[in-house]
Amino acid sequence: MTRVLVIGAGGVFGSRLCEGLLRNGFEVVVAGRDRARAEAVAARLRAAFPDGRTEVAVLDTATLTPGDLIATGAVIVADAAGPFQGAEPATARAAIAAGLSCVDLADGRGFVAAFPALDASARAAGVVALTGCSSTPALSNAVLDRLTQGWREVVSVEAAISPGARAPRGLSVMRAILSWLGRPVRVFDGGEWTTRRGWSGLYRRDFGRAGRRRVSLCETPDLDLFPARFQPRGRGLFLAGLEPWPAHVGAWALGGVVRAFGFDPVPLARALVILSRWASVFGSDRGAMRVEAYGVDRHGGAVRAVWRLVAEPGEGPVTPGLPALAAIKAIAAGRIAPGARACVGVLSLEDIVAEMAPHGLATETVIERGAIYARAIGPAFDALPAPIRALHEAPGRSQWRGEAATEGASGPLAALVARIVGFPKARQACPVEVAIEADGDRSVWRRRIGGHAFASVLSHPGAGGRVRERFGPLSMDLRLTPEGERLIYRVEGWRLGLIPLPRSLGQSTRAHEEVDAEGRFVFDVEIWVPLIGRLVRYRGWLVRAA
């Protein structure tokens, strides 16, 4: 049997990795700085796996030598002793010098980025050294490799993790989070590299059976690896959340305080671990992970793919160690070439998912049309003329230019409302620019007609061609209906904010889209309100800008 040395075996993730190794027939050496703790872990493992072989070693990563590793008799070293933020790969260096393969569960961005510097020495020693064999970056990248396989273009990628409320939060994990909370984090967003603050943004994401949860920006190796590996045109983000939601909002607020006053929150780690245990009686105890990709599929259509993992109570902490277990099995089988690198593009998603079988982990993949018009209209969308489909299905940012004629408001009160919204006045012919930003959930249209700028947001696609268009505080519930070569817009309701208003008093739209003799996208839109009159009518053509 192959012997594996697990450093940090007494921790949340290391202990579960030991269980997985014993379950798969490996010998395990439980290693840590404290002999009593290591012996206690070994005793639990021997009781749970009486047919396995478990030994104990006392090791300190701060003083570790190649001889220390060789003395354990291990063939493979697994480092689960975080935190990895700001650390050096000392264990990997010692393992390579000892002629041993190694893996770690590192989630430190700088740690993983620097790890390939060991590649030459690992190759010379004929051993495998893998970093990041955890939920990030190994699992997140394996999921995206599968989701985007064969795509023509990737517009955006995103991963999010939300542990259950009662998931163990060790001191090293808390220190790792606090090391970047509220501090500058370099991210690829909006098609360029920019700087955000750690744990900024209060996003809500759908985690399937685990529900909708709040998540914020998290610094992990994926912030570098996503843009490098998938070349998204728009963005590549990694988000994380805490349960219950007040704990997450509290961390978000603490990040704001760190940003404002510039103090180091790491000394608060022990107190926050205690506080998180008090809060753990609230909120869902299901752990969850979500990975999403948005882009253009092999057929040229906009597509959105979402993969979700939900862990039943108590099972979430097993997830980070599963990529390490899969990597150790692959190394033992000789399926990974020597060298030192991040654990991305090394394991397939199937390799990692296969290790989930003994646990209460469920996964699902949802692939859907990436354009809200296509989802709302259904198969009839594909029968529309190509210029109409192209405009409504362009993922990410797209720019359109053309010419329009406008008719202004029909009366003084209508003119006042039109001025507030930004609708243009009457013009015989004027230039038109439309910038559309679509993310799969909504499309933001920013129009400039004859020097007048106004915007609307299209969202909430529903069966039967239903979408919602919002102009400021006013929104209309629309039904999109293909009729021959045209796409017709009909208003079925309107609201002020979230409040539905009587249809008899609501704004209305007479609008359609078609294609002219020159093959250009043509629009004709009239918006009017009972008792007030026409607010605007604009009609013209558009073509996509380079």
Side-chain angles (χ1 to χ4, degrees):
M1 292 188 292
T2 302
R3 177 173 292 192
V4 180
L5 170 67
V6 181
I7 301 175
V12 174
F13 306 135
S15 62
R16 287 162 174 80
L17 174 58
C18 290
E19 294 172 4
L21 290 167
L22 289 166
R23 188 179 292 112
N24 282 272
F26 289 89
E27 295 180 4
V28 171
V29 180
V30 174
R33 291 176 296 178
D34 187 316
R35 176 173 288 278
R37 185 177 182 183
E39 290 285 4
V41 172
R44 291 198 302 269
L45 293 173
R46 290 177 187 128
F49 302 92
D51 295 330
R53 184 170 179 179
T54 304
E55 296 185 3
V56 172
V58 178
L59 295 174
D60 188 340
T61 55
T63 58
L64 192 66
T65 67
D68 293 333
L69 299 179
I70 293 172
T72 66
V75 176
I76 302 173
V77 178
D79 185 1
F84 294 93
Q85 284 76 6
E88 291 289 327
T91 300
R93 286 197 187 101
I96 293 170
L100 305 178
S101 291
C102 61
V103 302
D104 66 46
L105 277 67
D107 59 356
R109 186 176 183 179
F111 186 98
V112 172
F115 198 83
L118 304 177
D119 185 57
S121 58
R123 289 176 182 271
V127 299
V128 177
L130 297 177
T131 188
C133 302
S134 190
S135 303
T136 168
L139 177 54
S140 53
N141 277 265
V143 172
L144 285 172
D145 284 336
R146 177 66 64 238
L147 294 183
T148 62
Q149 189 173 21
W151 284 17
R152 294 185 184 180
E153 181 185 21
V154 175
V155 173
S156 65
V157 293
E158 176 187 289
I161 291 179
S162 177
R166 283 169 286 285
R169 295 187 178 99
L171 189 60
S172 64
V173 173
M174 186 63 71
R175 285 172 174 162
I177 294 172
L178 294 176
S179 70
W180 46 259
L181 185 141
R183 297 179 177 179
V185 173
R186 188 168 179 261
V187 297
F188 186 77
D189 195 8
E192 62 183 6
W193 286 99
T194 186
T195 299
R196 299 252 187 103
R197 294 285 172 168
W199 214 264
S200 62
L202 281 176
Y203 307 97
R204 286 177 65 88
R205 292 294 183 264
D206 182 3
F207 287 89
R209 288 167 47 202
R212 294 183 66 83
R213 298 185 177 185
R214 291 169 175 82
V215 289
S216 297
L217 177 65
C218 176
E219 181 163 61
T220 76
D222 282 330
L223 294 183
D224 292 322
L225 292 169
F226 284 172
R229 299 191 71 240
F230 300 100
Q231 299 291 309
R233 173 157 53 90
R235 68 179 188 178
L237 295 182
F238 194 99
L239 310 173
L242 294 174
E243 280 287 298
W245 69 264
H248 183 88
V249 175
W252 172 81
L254 178 60
V257 174
V258 171
R259 176 181 181 180
F261 297 99
F263 75 94
D264 182 6
V266 174
L268 300 175
R270 194 174 300 276
L272 291 175
V273 167
I274 296 172
L275 187 61
S276 70
R277 289 170 183 164
W278 291 345
S280 67
V281 297
F282 306 101
S284 171
D285 198 28
R286 282 178 166 167
M289 182 173 179
R290 181 181 188 274
V291 181
E292 176 181 331
Y294 174 56
V296 180
D297 65 17
R298 69 180 72 219
H299 305 294
V303 61
R304 183 172 66 175
V306 178
W307 179 90
R308 300 185 185 95
L309 179 152
V310 176
E312 292 304 313
E315 293 288 351
V318 76
T319 308
L322 296 180
L325 177 57
I328 290 169
K329 292 171 71 173
I331 292 171
R335 292 191 285 112
I336 301 180
R341 55 200 179 277
C343 190
V344 296
V346 175
L347 301 172
S348 70
L349 179 58
E350 291 74 18
D351 290 333
I352 302 173
V353 169
E355 305 305 331
M356 299 180 184
H359 310 285
L361 305 176
T363 66
E364 66 170 345
T365 301
V366 177
I367 299 176
E368 60 185 1
R369 301 289 292 268
I372 62 173
Y373 274 41
R375 292 210 303 279
I377 296 170
F381 177 84
D382 295 322
L384 287 167
I388 296 178
R389 286 187 281 112
L391 184 138
H392 291 298
E393 202 170 22
R397 294 181 176 179
S398 59
Q399 192 83 18
W400 305 79
R401 295 191 177 97
E403 187 176 279
T406 63
E407 298 175 26
S410 60
L413 186 55
L416 176 62
V417 175
R419 183 179 301 173
I420 293 172
V421 177
F423 290 146
K425 298 180 180 180
R427 295 280 298 273
Q428 286 297 318
C430 56
V432 178
E433 292 185 1
V434 180
I436 303 175
E437 187 165 347
D439 64 9
D441 284 320
R442 66 177 195 163
S443 296
V444 180
W445 290 48
R446 294 182 174 88
R447 306 168 179 87
R448 180 172 291 276
I449 302 178
H452 289 265
F454 63 102
S456 67
V457 180
L458 288 146
S459 61
H460 295 78
R466 291 179 174 85
V467 298
R468 183 174 299 166
E469 184 167 22
R470 177 174 58 83
F471 293 88
L474 297 174
S475 60
M476 295 181 290
D477 295 322
L478 305 174
R479 182 186 288 271
L480 310 173
T481 307
E483 293 183 1
E485 298 291 293
R486 285 185 168 189
L487 179 60
I488 309 298
Y489 290 61
R490 294 185 173 90
V491 177
E492 295 194 332
W494 74 301
R495 63 192 71 217
L496 177 63
L498 298 176
I499 304 172
L501 299 175
R503 172 74 185 277
S504 60
L505 299 178
Q507 63 190 50
S508 185
T509 297
R510 287 192 289 264
H512 70 268
E513 299 167 354
E514 58 186 342
V515 178
D516 64 13
E518 298 179 47
R520 300 178 300 194
F521 173 90
V522 172
F523 57 90
D524 189 338
V525 179
E526 183 176 13
I527 301 175
W528 57 278
V529 178
L531 306 181
I532 295 180
R534 184 185 66 230
L535 301 182
V536 71
R537 182 183 183 186
Y538 51 93
R539 57 190 186 276
W541 55 267
L542 291 170
V543 294
R544 187 165 186 172

